[in-house]
Amino acid sequence: MINRIGPPVRGEDFFGRESFVDLVWQRVRAGHVLLAAPRRFGKTSVMYALIDAPRHDFRIIHADLEHMSDPTELLTELIIKLSRERGFSLNLPGMGEAAKRLLERARGVVSEVELLETKITLREQTRRNWKDIGTALFAQVATFKQPVLFILDELPMMLDRMAASPEGREQAIEMLRWLRHLRVAPEMSDLHFLVAGSIGIDYVLNDLGEITAMNDFERLRLEPFTPQVAGQFLDALGDANNIALSPACRTKIFQLIGEPVPYFLQIMFSEVSKLHSASGDKITPAKIERIYHERVLGMDCKSYFEHYNGRLRDYYKPQEEKAIKRLLRELAVTDSLTRSAAHAILHESLGRTLEVEEFNGLMANLENDFYIRQDATTYDYSFACKLLRDWWLRYYGLAV
Amino acid sequence: MERLYNPDLMSEAEIKQTFVARQPQIEELVALIEKQPQGAGVQHAVVVAPRGMGKTTMLLMVQFALKDRGLDAQWQAVRFPEESYAINDLADFWLETLRNLAVAVETPDLAIEAENLIAKFPRNADLQEAALALIKDWCRRENKRLLLLVDNFDQILEQINSERDNAALRNALMNDGTLQIIGGATAFFHEARSYDQPLYNFFRLYHLEELTFEEIQNLLRQRAAADGTPNFEAILQANTVRLRVLRYFTGGNPRLVLMLYRVVMDSQVVEVREALEKLLDEVTPYYKAKIDSLPPQQRKILDHIARISSQTNEGLTPGEIAKATRLSPQATSTQLRRLGELGYVRAANLRVRNSYYTLSEPLYAIWHQMRFGRGPRRRVQWLVDFIKSWYDADELKGESQRLEDRFRNFFQTGATKEALSSLQHRLYLAHAMSDVPVKSDTLESVIDGYLQLGAIKELLDVLPEMEMKKFSDATLSALFDAGCVTKEVMQRMKISSAEMKIRVESAKANGLIGLAIQKIKDEMFEDALQLLSPINSWDLHPVVLQTTHFVRSVALLESGFYKEATVEAKMAMEVETELTDHSPMLNVLLGSYLQMEEFEQAMSILDQFPDHDQEHLHFLKGLCLLGLDRHQESVLSFDKEIIVSSEDPFAWFYRGLALKEQGLIKESIMSWQKAFELETPEIKLEEKWRFGLHQGNFILSVFNGDCNSARTEWMRCFRLSREQNLIDEWKEMASQTLSCMIEAGNARFIRDLIRDTQDEESLFPLARALDYLFTGDEALIEKLSPEIRNLVVEMVEKLRPAVGDAAAQPAPKARPRPAPRQRIHKQLR
């Protein structure tokens, strides 16, 4: 097992999410799934777990949409991938004979350059009537009598990119409506979609005025590890890297980072591992504490958590952003706040009336995005994770 | 042969032989390659370090390891040159990959194929995909994957400068197992650092640390072995101190270590100067490139640190830098952080708030001084500094003697120019000496040499840098005879009788000041003031005069004469001395104003302190703001204090007060509870401060329907009022709070409480009014004296609406109707 920080993990490196994958398969069979989790919680790894071991006779078509900016690109990618699937023979009537030849070629070619040529031609041919061709494509896939799961990674990113221009915005709305129309058609019941993205889909849909465009998706939230799985995870990392972590060290790690988010555990372990390989010294709780304060919370690791601060700017209006940052600062300083204190802070920082509904909405968004959590008994708010609180305190503790 | 700037021109054997300190990282990188999954999910890596730290060598070592460990059957290494200026978009990057691959596998046709793509795919986006497709085709054909070793990867991404291209690069790197990148970068670059970039947190980073002392020794050992230097271990042993100096000056940068070591190891002063100048000249392109790559604000900050630290050898705080560069504190902090990330500066004491920034490489400070130093002395100050570090006192004396002999030889043989050069070098040595008598003797000997040579013009150039008043009368007369100083100057060097008087009286004053300080320490402030009183009429050196005023101000402050203390402190500040830091006097002013509750004045004093100069600055600001009724700002100030001193019970207590003033009762109680939890035997809060805590808890308990807790807190308040003699506070609080509680519907409960305290006397009008309302017995009012009766009647009218309901209730409600929050808060005040 290798401690991979950044890219998706696969095979033996994929750890502790087996029951979540079971759940995804269960829900995918019933409909469509929206994978929700903050950045670096392991969404893409879960997708690859589905791709690497399909179940229930599913065929899987995967596309990473981050670099795409129009529906034709997406459609071409899907056509090419489908046409290369064994046993799938596509015949798209809207495109005529030339397209048929192209698709046969795509199926037969071995050279990537030739395949690209085909793709470019196909892209040009689908540009004029992408919706008709797309509809025909999905209709035909639906006749194959085999369930197909389309995994669309970073769809929110693609939509966000499109929304940057007026034409792109129109096209994004058109694409969302078209996809929804396809999904709800009874004859498409064998086609399933799984969507995920590192930026919040709700914010993007809201911005496009299409908040209901994906309400047929079931949201599955990727949570932190349970303490038991987190312990096993650290053991496995330790074994694979020849670093013995005593129970006291493990306890110290959990004390320091709080909620055992796998990504945070990986960062912590990575820093421990660096020290170990540089000095060969035995790892002790005291050393772990030092690593935490000097490395994990230090400049070297600052960027790992920077998106927690940065994305507030993207998702909220300037005054809201300021108010939320003030609230987070107070939370970081005082550890917890009552509901009324939180309301008072937001109200004062916003400089306007803050209705209870709006307050609840803001707090729910922050909770959903893993900034804060609410105590089930006292209803007080605190940071979702101790590490984040410490990080916030260090870098934004003094900002007002 | 050693290649400091182009390690790839060295032989493989030599690179391996001289490679030190980075082996663990190489092992990790190789393990990473070995364990990559077959398809998607490849872990890419970037080695981040300033120039000269060994990134290129590391990439070369990875390339060698690929072959040595038999990984080259599955992986083909493709190394990019250090400069890839031709890459301006992702298509260029893939085409360059193909060209480098063609060279690596000696297949020129592949390069031709790559060139053909340019004509075939005129659209940039298509060309980019085509070039990548060709790479994949090659890999499939050869059944190999590519390991791209990309030096200056940050520079390449900066040249590409396209989010869209970066997204496509991410797609290729993440969803396809064909390629792995191991890059080198001089800094943690924007594309991987900024959360909104496609490559954000995408790479695993390896930071190369500066070499430790042991690692420097190993580097030199291995270099010497490669050069075939005999007896090197003995040389190392003999030069341990110098090696430490070497580490200091180079910041543990391997390239600089090798450069500087070669220059200075065997040189003597004359040669050292020439060799160092040559070295500094050689490193000019290196430093110039480093500085040119920075944005203007960072350049300005770096320039300032270099300039100041080369003079003082000390770090600078962000506040000092901001002030000197006229940048905002926020901009300064941001740019300093960035410079830190880039490896230009380093901060000490990062975990506390007072960070001191210094240059990562002292050699850069030397270079800066040589290149930009103002005046001839400044420009050679670097040499003086270096000599100071490099030679110990005995060596300095030995070198001085050697140079004197050398001067005599040249002088006697008529070699004037060489003799003069020896004198100049000896002068640098003299400046580097710390032993004052030896230094003065050497300087006088040097002056004598100049005079013997008749080099008056040259002597006049260097004379201003010397402290002539320390010269002997003979030397001063010789200088006068040679026309180097005027008679006035010579005379000025002699102590005048007036100066003598000042000296004598200042010395006497110093003695009295010392005694007065001792009295202050013994808390005998009157005696201290008495001791200082005769000094008033004396002529004093400005520093002594300033100290007198200051010590007097302290004694006055401690004696409770606050106004007088401010006058003395201000007088101390008005005395012109070299002392620019007025913090001690400001502290006296601050203390006096706080005692006089002149919070506006105290705030203005606090604003004069830089953040780091005043311990508990935020606490004091919080107090002032509290006094000025600026409660929200006050809470923020206490919060800031708590970040720095989270265990300070006073900060927590006053924070609670400020919260209470805002009506945030629950939060204020939490703050007070924390304050009392943090008490230690050494740091204790005043017992009477618990009064507010119990009062707040009492009110909250009543509103939560928790009768037991309410009763307990009530009794605590009562007891505390008796123990601490807070009778008036008790009466006022009890009367107002209880009225309010009654109006909120808790009359019976409150009446019981008054009875429980057995203190009906203090709350008699309230108790009697309640009794009357409960029973309707007119006699209870009629028999009172007229004064008391009026009070009771007034209270009856006030409470009647609430008690009318409450009287029907036998006991307090489980959850009484809360009174308007604002009202309760008002009562609490």
Side-chain angles (χ1 to χ4, degrees), chain B residues 338-358:
Chain B
R338 191 83 194 94
L339 284 168
E341 287 167 8
L342 292 167
Y344 286 82
V345 298
R346 69 172 123 213
N349 301 332
L350 255 182
R351 285 183 68 181
V352 294
R353 293 206 52 222
N354 300 338
S355 301
Y356 290 86
Y357 285 86
T358 56

Side-chain angles (χ1 to χ4, degrees), chain A residues 95-204:
Chain A
M95 294 175 59
E97 275 306 302
K100 199 174 175 185
R101 279 201 301 279
L102 277 172
L103 290 178
E104 277 168 10
R105 191 177 162 201
R107 202 164 31 248
V109 292
V110 284
S111 152
E112 291 280 339
V113 176
E114 282 175 334
L115 189 65
L116 175 69
E117 288 170 349
T118 308
K119 204 163 138 185
I120 292 169
T121 316
L122 206 54
R123 201 153 55 202
E124 291 314 310
Q125 292 200 358
T126 52
R127 196 171 296 283
R128 285 187 306 274
N129 52 348
W130 63 268
K131 268 202 290 189
D132 294 341
I133 293 168
T135 306
L137 172 79
F138 283 109
Q140 205 170 109
V141 175
T143 64
F144 293 157
K145 299 297 173 205
Q146 187 176 5
V148 179
L149 173 62
F150 291 93
I151 295 182
L152 305 182
D153 198 2
E154 299 294 359
L155 173 67
M157 197 70 96
M158 179 186 178
L159 292 170
D160 196 44
R161 192 187 296 281
M162 291 171 79
S165 70
E167 316 87 73
R169 195 179 173 82
E170 285 306 309
Q171 228 172 16
I173 293 170
E174 205 179 346
M175 185 175 88
L176 278 169
R177 290 178 183 172
W178 171 70
L179 277 170
R180 182 176 163 78
H181 179 73
L182 276 179
R183 289 194 306 271
V184 297
E187 63 274 20
M188 303 286 183
S189 60
D190 265 349
L191 306 190
H192 302 261
F193 287 84
L194 184 146
V195 163
S198 52
I199 62 170
I201 187 78
D202 290 336
Y203 299 98
V204 179

Side-chain angles (χ1 to χ4, degrees), chain B residues 344-494:
Chain B
Y344 286 82
V345 298
R346 69 172 123 213
N349 301 332
L350 255 182
R351 285 183 68 181
V352 294
R353 293 206 52 222
N354 300 338
S355 301
Y356 290 86
Y357 285 86
T358 56
L359 296 175
S360 297
E361 292 172 18
L363 193 63
Y364 171 67
I366 292 182
W367 176 80
H368 189 279
Q369 213 171 52
M370 183 200 77
R371 208 169 157 79
F372 304 111
R374 294 189 178 103
R377 171 66 197 276
R378 276 272 153 252
R379 276 201 292 278
V380 294
Q381 181 63 37
W382 59 270
L383 183 62
V384 174
D385 290 341
F386 188 84
I387 289 169
K388 248 185 214 170
S389 314
W390 198 249
Y391 295 105
D392 63 25
D394 288 341
E395 284 177 325
L396 277 176
K397 269 200 247 175
E399 274 298 310
S400 178
Q401 188 59 52
R402 193 178 71 83
L403 284 169
E404 191 177 1
D405 296 345
R406 194 182 159 107
F407 166 75
R408 298 269 161 240
N409 285 337
F410 285 130
F411 181 62
Q412 282 161 13
T413 56
T416 314
K417 198 176 160 195
E418 289 76 7
L420 192 61
S421 169
S422 291
L423 280 179
Q424 280 171 343
H425 289 123
R426 198 158 168 238
L427 185 62
Y428 303 142
L429 272 187
H431 281 307
M433 290 171 174
S434 51
D435 185 327
V436 177
V438 176
K439 182 176 181 173
S440 296
D441 287 351
T442 311
L443 283 172
E444 287 186 273
S445 167
V446 169
I447 287 171
D448 187 44
Y450 275 102
L451 293 173
Q452 285 182 49
L453 277 175
I456 305 301
K457 186 173 170 296
E458 289 80 359
L459 178 57
L460 285 173
D461 282 344
V462 296
L463 206 53
E465 307 291 342
M466 302 183 194
E467 278 190 277
M468 281 193 283
K469 61 186 174 192
K470 288 185 179 157
F471 290 166
S472 64
D473 281 355
T475 301
L476 284 169
S477 298
L479 283 169
F480 170 65
D481 293 343
C484 294
V485 294
T486 60
K487 193 173 183 179
E488 288 73 28
V489 171
M490 185 183 70
Q491 284 172 340
R492 212 180 321 129
M493 293 300 122
K494 298 177 179 174

Side-chain angles (χ1 to χ4, degrees), chain A residues 3-5 10 40 48 64 66-67 110 112 117 263 299 303 307 310 314 329 334 338 341 348, chain B residues 35-36 40 43 120 126 130 137 140 164 170-171 175 188 195 200-201 204 341 632 636 655 667:
Chain A
N3 187 21
R4 293 176 196 281
I5 306 176
R10 303 174 75 174
R40 305 291 171 216
Y48 273 109
D64 186 335
E66 176 164 1
H67 63 290
V110 284
E112 291 280 339
E117 288 170 349
Y263 181 55
M299 290 307 297
S303 79
H307 60 274
D314 296 342
R329 190 191 78 83
T334 58
T338 59
E348 186 205 310
Chain B
K35 292 178 185 171
Q36 294 293 15
Q43 170 86 69
K120 201 168 175 182
D126 296 340
D137 283 340
R140 194 180 301 166
R164 183 97 192 261
R170 177 183 180 274
N171 183 35
N175 296 310
F188 186 20
Y195 80 98
Y200 169 69
N201 276 356
R204 181 156 187 177
E341 287 167 8
Q632 285 179 0
L636 284 178
R655 181 176 178 275
E667 290 73 16

